[in-house]
Amino acid sequence: PTRKAVGDILDHIGRDPCEVLGTIFPGDGEATIEKIAANCAMAGCLPEYVPVVLTAVECIVDPAFPINTTQSTGSASIFTLVSGPIVSALKFHTREWIFGPNGGRANAAIGRAIRLILWNIGRAHPGKLVKGTMGHPASWSYCIGEEQQISPWEPVHVDAGIAAADSAVTVMKAGEHSQLA
């Protein structure tokens, strides 16, 4: 990342670059605002995307999150769902081919930033600290915005007690099967 790109992100979010959100498993690297901004810049995030990434990182460093089986031997990936008005504001692609190459910049850049943070700060390098045998193709970028214009249901974050008018980020382990079918 260039100093300018990181500086633009830091100026936009207005937080202390040395602030630590937590450590990222498995290498326990400190997730500082500045390191997160650098990974966002490398992923192609616009500065307005970075608050979503910061929120996702806050979820990832939460001790209740099952990151140890996602970042070590499992073949699941970390999935990020963004919901609420921010989906439209950031122009997430929310319809056909949502995980495909038709996806919007927000989907790809935010998902990629999260993956780079896991790789660069958490040192989750396959064959080193990550010992999964199969991996998961979604480990490249696994982030979508929730479609609300044509959905008959309330936004998913309402189930978590967050007002429908608010925006939210949901992070979960996804893609691994525990049984053979």
Side-chain angles (χ1 to χ4, degrees), residues 125-147:
H125 299 196
K128 295 189 177 17
L129 294 178
V130 175
K131 300 294 184 179
T133 56
M134 302 305 283
H136 195 284
S139 289
W140 180 254
S141 177
Y142 206 12
C143 176
I144 62 170
E146 182 180 17
E147 170 58 50

Side-chain angles (χ1 to χ4, degrees), residues 37-77:
N39 282 277
C40 287
M42 287 188 287
C45 285
L46 298 174
E48 55 267 28
Y49 297 172
V50 179
V52 173
V53 176
L54 293 172
T55 303
V57 170
E58 289 171 350
C59 294
I60 290 166
V61 301
D62 185 323
F65 188 71
I67 196 168
N68 60 335
T69 59
T70 306
Q71 288 282 103
S72 59
T73 58
S75 63
S77 291

Side-chain angles (χ1 to χ4, degrees), residues 5 21 35 50 52 64 66 74 81 94-95 99 104 108-109 113 122 143 152 166 178:
L21 296 187
K35 288 179 187 176
V50 179
V52 173
L81 172 67
T94 61
R95 296 189 184 169
F99 292 112
C143 176
D166 291 339
S178 59

